[in-house]
Amino acid sequence: MPIGYHAGRAIELTPSILSANFANLGADVQAADEVGCSWIQVDVMDGHFVPNLTFGPPVIQAIRPFFKGTLDVHLMVSNPDALLEAYAKAGANHITVHQEASVHLHRTIQRIHELGCTAGVALNPATPVSSLDDIIEDLDLVLIMSVNPGFGGQSFIERSLAKIAAVRSLLDQRHHEAVIQVDGGVKPSNIASVVQAGATNLIAGSAFYSSTITPHQAWDAFVAALA
Ligand code: DX5
């Protein structure tokens, strides 16, 4: 369920399992389901596109039974086309690829849809929103990276707010509805400005899975920050 509403749109909180307890992953995924999250994100990293290595399709298969909502796979990999089918078959509902890693992005988005998933494109901090001009009407989601991808616990890059607003403006100009997702350094302390800029789906890693608060307390903090 949403953590709130802004401009008539539901705002969703999407935990990133990169900050979860990998020794107890099923329980951490189930906790997100139980507190009310409609989405959960799996950060797939290949150690080449980003300097970290994470989850293969078997992990998606393993956590699938513990989450009823949208299982969002964020492919931070150099060759996303080679992996689309495996992650879709493992249980992904949504797949996001990086603009910077896609040679034939229009075809990649078509393929994600053919596999029965919704499709998103992620932009790294230095990649302009204008790079979406000729693909945005084919997208179900745009992901604005507000950190340089690879690790959780980084600080939010402030100029991401202008990029979020630029995506909102482009969608409005084209009369196209898509999720605007923001990922990296998202905390209860900054989501009011992130949502004000136009975001509708907030990725939280270290602000959701933390040794100092429970997922329920994290959920309540995000809800309170939008109230
Ligand atoms: C970073 C990942 C993010 C990360 C977010 O490369 O894509 O999803 O897990 O973690 P926080 O919310 O701690 O910045």
Side-chain angles (χ1 to χ4, degrees):
M1 66 186 148
I3 54 170
Y5 292 83
H6 178 75
R9 295 186 176 96
I11 308 300
E12 300 290 352
L13 176 66
T14 301
S16 156
I17 68 167
L18 190 64
S19 297
N21 175 1
F22 293 174
N24 204 12
L25 200 46
D28 273 6
V29 169
Q30 190 161 21
D33 192 74
E34 287 168 356
V35 298
C37 296
S38 304
W39 289 57
I40 196 162
Q41 188 181 77
V42 179
D43 289 306
V44 176
M45 300 179 183
D46 65 359
H48 183 258
F49 182 72
V50 293
N52 198 351
L53 194 57
T54 60
F55 313 104
V59 176
I60 306 297
Q61 217 155 359
I63 65 174
R64 180 71 270 184
F66 294 96
F67 195 76
K68 293 189 283 293
T70 299
L71 211 161
D72 166 2
V73 170
H74 175 192
L75 293 178
M76 286 167 273
V77 300
S78 296
N79 182 9
D81 290 335
L83 295 171
L84 298 177
E85 188 164 352
Y87 281 95
K89 281 185 174 168
N93 303 109
H94 174 85
I95 298 176
T96 291
V97 298
H98 269 260
Q99 169 70 282
E100 305 87 1
S102 303
V103 177
H104 303 291
L105 183 57
H106 182 270
R107 179 74 191 99
T108 299
I109 297 302
Q110 278 183 325
R111 183 66 184 131
I112 294 172
H113 285 144
E114 286 165 4
L115 289 166
C117 295
T118 54
V121 172
L123 301 181
N124 281 335
T127 304
V129 170
S130 59
S131 67
L132 298 175
D133 279 356
D134 296 307
I135 193 71
I136 194 148
E137 286 155 281
D138 297 316
L139 302 183
D140 305 294
L141 179 146
V142 173
L143 168 51
I144 297 298
M145 292 304 299
S146 40
V147 295
N148 289 295
F151 300 93
Q154 301 179 75
S155 299
F156 183 87
I157 297 172
E158 284 304 317
R159 67 159 275 96
S160 308
L161 294 173
K163 286 182 75 171
I164 295 162
V167 174
R168 174 55 63 206
S169 169
L170 182 57
L171 287 170
D172 292 347
Q173 282 164 29
R174 303 290 181 83
H175 306 291
H176 181 65
E177 195 59 37
V179 172
I180 301 180
Q181 190 177 61
V182 185
D183 184 355
V186 173
K187 313 286 181 197
S189 58
N190 62 21
I191 63 168
S193 55
V194 170
V195 167
Q196 185 65 36
T200 56
N201 189 302
L202 312 172
I203 302 287
S206 54
F208 187 84
Y209 290 115
S210 154
S211 56
T212 56
I213 55 170
T214 66
H216 209 290
Q217 289 167 331
W219 173 273
D220 289 347
F222 277 100
V223 169
L226 282 190

